[in-house]
Amino acid sequence: MSMLAADPDVIRIGNCSGFYGDRLGAMREMLEGGQLDVLTGDYLAELTMLILGRDRMKDPGLGYAKTFVTQIKDCLGLALERGVRIVTNAGGLNPAGLAEKLRKVVADLGLDARIAYVEGDDLLGRTDELGLGAPLTANAYLGAWGIATCLESGADIVVTGRVTDASVVVGPAAAHFGWGRTDYDALAGAVVAGHVIECGTQATGGNFAFFTELADLGRPGFPIAEIRRDGSSVVTKHDGTGGAVTVDTVAAQLMYEIQGARYAGPDVTARLDTVELAPVGPDRVLISGVTGEAPPPRLKVSLNTLGGFRNEMEFILTGLDIEAKAALARRQLESWLPERPAELEWTLARLDRPDAETEEQASALLRCVVRDPDPNKVGRAFSGVAVELALASYPGCSFTSVPGNGAPYGVYRPGYVDAAEVPHIAVLPDGSRVQIAASEQTRALQDVETPELPEPLPAKEFRRVPLGAIALARSGDKGGDANVGVWVRTEEQWRWLAHALTVERLKELLPETRSLTVTRHALPNLRAVNFIISGLLGAGVAYQARFDPQAKGLGEWLRSRHIDIPLELLP
């Protein structure tokens, strides 16, 4: 056991990054804003791994989040002065390279900091052996024990490659409290805390459905998890920062990018159906009651491949006969192309309105997206032909951009390998290497039994209003799938929602999902239902299958749809 905090029963872990490109000044804000024991940062996402893979193709010495280096140059002295350890997955595809870069930064600053890193997740050289195909990147999701080992060795900074987002929080908690590999409830509690703070300000009011209720959303503060020895935690933020921490802002992040009631990881499977939330003070929410189970026997692998080249042109259609104008443009473009690309998709966005007071309000957008392995077929051979229609097509023909060449696009898919096949290595500050064993106890992942739902709410009077009149939502991407979680605030509202918002009703409200497989999971403790919409995002975010490629706005679209709600439930 390695004490990382003065309090033996609580460790205070903050977050300063939710993605590669997040607020650059957040590390300093968190270090200056109040007391912390550990500061974490999440820089990786499925799309980020593709970006870093392309960086590494240009320069084998890259492949890590360069902005983290900038932050360390600015803040390392302050972190050391305050005794704050830093744990991050900014190593991306090259944690050893980032560690070496940080050592140079430390030397240049004239400071004394111990750097450790975790590696083993990169399976690119073994993809044939493991049956993973021939991707550009192949990274298994490691867990928290390598991080814990690095911290126990006295590391001031620990950088990793692809670990689960919550692992940067679980590792410090496990090291501080001396948890064992089978302390599943405590580990699961830390996983939930890590999941809540991993996306930064999404836990403090960012992307929050009822944002108009928040007094100060100008510059939300980043979140903090005060994790206790039993795995329970209090989510909070530094005093005087913007945003808010409420039961609903925490629930919103809990619902983000999840699937069923079992939240699987390499160290533990957390039961989200056991999570209990309660306010315990201003900007303080208690997470308790979380139970855990042995992890599944296989690790998930993030696989990114360059799928080919992509281009798009967007036509502006104004005024009358919008459908006929769109049909003419489509017919002309497809017949004028010298070669048809492998994929050619049209989308007409009817943003126009009758008798509009401005030209923009009178206009619709017709988007044509093309993809092909051959960049020439989607380059000027496509976009140049589109522009050639300018004087030969529908009245008022114009475009939102000039013609351009196609750009490469990525395809994401998950893979799975036996945990014992994946090395997990902690490289300590003195250079020694510690092999982290896979979990000895495992449990195959299965859906939980359908939970008992409350009795339906008897109601006689209804009003047709937006679902968002009483319901909150949060949505996101999981590879080619999307999730949308919906929850309400009162037991009476839950009695209605649990029975009203079925898979069939969701498909009615979101017609784009009608041909897709949709799965619903109920979480009564959170008064929530979570939907997994399989295939909505095609081959992942980099594929850009729809105009909202990460499904960020899917929940807000659902909230805007009208549905019959019992009159007694409305504000």
Side-chain angles (χ1 to χ4, degrees):
M1 184 170 68
S2 177
M3 299 293 287
L4 304 183
D7 188 335
D9 296 314
V10 179
I11 183 169
R12 191 169 157 94
I13 303 175
N15 168 286
C16 70
S17 176
F19 66 100
Y20 190 13
D22 208 345
R23 190 189 307 170
L24 197 61
M27 182 177 286
R28 177 164 287 276
E29 290 174 22
M30 289 300 286
L31 290 169
E32 291 180 339
Q35 187 264 326
L36 291 175
D37 300 309
V38 178
L39 183 60
T40 67
D42 178 13
Y43 293 78
L44 301 184
E46 291 160 1
L47 178 62
T48 313
M49 301 303 281
L50 177 66
I51 293 169
L52 296 179
R54 292 176 62 186
D55 282 352
R56 189 172 62 176
M57 289 174 67
K58 299 172 186 174
D59 182 349
L62 295 178
Y64 54 79
K66 297 186 285 280
T67 53
F68 177 72
V69 178
T70 302
Q71 291 173 308
I72 287 296
K73 287 178 179 178
D74 176 53
C75 298
L76 179 57
L78 180 59
L80 293 172
E81 176 187 322
R82 300 202 168 193
V84 178
R85 313 280 190 104
I86 296 174
V87 181
T88 175
N89 61 15
L93 300 177
N94 190 6
L98 176 56
E100 181 60 30
K101 179 70 174 179
L102 293 176
R103 292 188 192 100
K104 292 178 182 177
V105 170
V106 170
D108 290 344
L109 293 173
L111 298 172
D112 181 17
R114 293 158 293 188
I115 312 297
Y117 63 97
V118 177
E119 65 179 12
D121 61 292
D122 194 338
L123 304 179
L124 192 60
R126 301 171 56 205
T127 53
D128 282 345
E129 166 201 342
L130 297 171
L132 298 173
L136 173 67
T137 68
N139 296 81
Y141 285 79
L142 300 180
W145 295 107
I147 295 169
T149 299
C150 290
L151 291 169
E152 288 165 351
S153 75
D156 298 299
I157 301 177
V158 181
V159 297
T160 77
R162 179 73 277 186
V163 297
T164 64
D165 297 340
S167 290
V168 295
V169 171
V170 179
H176 180 64
F177 295 121
W179 290 336
R181 299 290 291 262
T182 58
D183 288 328
Y184 294 132
D185 290 351
L187 291 167
V191 164
V192 171
H195 176 56
V196 168
I197 73 169
E198 75 186 52
C199 284
T201 52
Q202 279 198 164
T204 60
N207 292 345
F208 179 56
F210 283 3
F211 71 98
T212 56
E213 295 181 351
L214 305 184
D216 176 16
L217 199 55
R219 190 177 177 87
F222 277 70
I224 298 164
E226 297 174 351
I227 301 179
R228 302 169 177 178
R229 184 171 293 278
D230 65 355
S232 63
S233 63
V234 171
V235 177
T236 185
K237 63 186 184 69
H238 283 321
D239 292 341
T241 57
V245 178
T246 69
V247 166
D248 282 319
T249 67
V250 171
Q253 181 55 27
L254 267 178
M255 300 302 297
Y256 183 61
E257 295 182 345
I258 64 169
Q259 294 184 331
R262 284 190 166 101
Y263 189 73
D267 303 317
V268 64
T269 294
R271 290 289 298 264
L272 298 183
D273 53 344
T274 64
V275 176
E276 297 178 7
L277 304 178
V280 290
D283 293 314
R284 294 179 64 81
V285 172
L286 173 67
I287 302 175
S288 63
V290 187
T291 64
E293 301 168 345
R298 297 195 298 167
L299 299 185
K300 184 178 178 181
V301 184
S302 172
L303 300 169
N304 283 286
T305 305
L306 288 178
F309 296 83
R310 179 188 184 280
N311 205 350
E312 71 176 62
M313 287 294 289
E314 196 169 61
F315 298 77
I316 302 173
L317 315 173
T318 304
L320 304 176
D321 306 316
I322 294 294
E323 300 285 345
K325 289 172 178 173
L328 175 60
R330 177 172 179 168
R331 184 168 66 249
Q332 287 179 306
L333 178 60
E334 292 190 16
S335 66
W336 288 23
L337 287 174
E339 287 187 274
R340 186 181 178 93
E343 297 180 40
L344 191 152
E345 302 170 352
W346 293 92
T347 306
L348 176 60
R350 293 299 304 265
L351 309 177
D352 55 300
R353 65 183 69 173
D355 196 20
E357 295 183 359
T358 69
E359 184 176 342
E360 190 171 12
Q361 292 175 349
S363 299
L365 297 176
L366 176 65
R367 182 181 300 110
C368 183
V369 176
V370 291
R371 300 183 187 87
D372 198 279
D374 183 351
N376 295 317
K377 288 186 182 180
V378 299
R380 293 302 179 104
F382 160 71
S383 61
V385 168
V387 169
E388 288 174 4
L389 296 178
L391 305 183
S393 189
Y394 60 88
C397 179
S398 62
F399 308 89
T400 60
S401 63
V402 298
N405 295 317
Y409 72 90
V411 172
Y412 167 85
R413 66 179 177 88
Y416 296 89
V417 297
D418 288 342
E421 295 283 347
V422 180
H424 185 173
I425 302 164
V427 184
L428 307 185
D430 64 2
S432 59
R433 301 169 66 84
V434 179
Q435 178 72 45
I436 307 299
S439 295
E440 293 183 3
Q441 296 184 13
T442 62
R443 174 175 176 166
L445 193 64
Q446 296 177 323
D447 288 339
V448 300
E449 294 183 6
T450 302
E452 183 177 346
L453 298 178
E455 287 293 319
L457 181 73
K460 295 181 179 178
E461 292 187 74
F462 295 83
R463 179 175 296 163
R464 195 162 187 81
V465 295
L467 176 63
I470 64 169
L472 300 92
R474 174 67 63 81
S475 58
D477 61 300
K478 295 294 286 184
D481 302 340
N483 98 289
V484 55
V486 184
W487 71 101
V488 288
R489 288 175 159 174
T490 71
E491 284 301 318
E492 293 299 285
Q493 291 172 345
W494 171 236
R495 290 177 64 187
W496 171 78
L497 181 77
H499 299 279
L501 195 57
T502 61
V503 168
E504 293 73 22
R505 181 61 59 84
L506 181 92
K507 289 188 173 187
E508 291 174 9
L509 295 172
L510 305 183
E512 290 180 26
T513 69
R514 284 176 181 164
S515 64
L516 302 174
T517 299
V518 178
T519 309
R520 187 183 102 147
H521 302 276
L523 298 169
N525 275 16
L526 301 175
R527 303 189 190 98
V529 287
N530 184 55
F531 295 91
I532 307 299
I533 304 169
S534 300
L536 182 69
L537 306 180
V541 55
Y543 183 76
Q544 293 185 293
R546 57 197 305 273
F547 85 103
D548 177 18
Q550 292 180 283
K552 297 289 189 181
L554 187 65
E556 288 303 292
W557 177 30
L558 178 60
R559 291 183 64 244
S560 75
R561 297 289 282 160
H562 287 225
I563 189 172
D564 292 329
I565 297 179
L567 204 57
E568 65 194 88
L569 301 181
L570 295 173

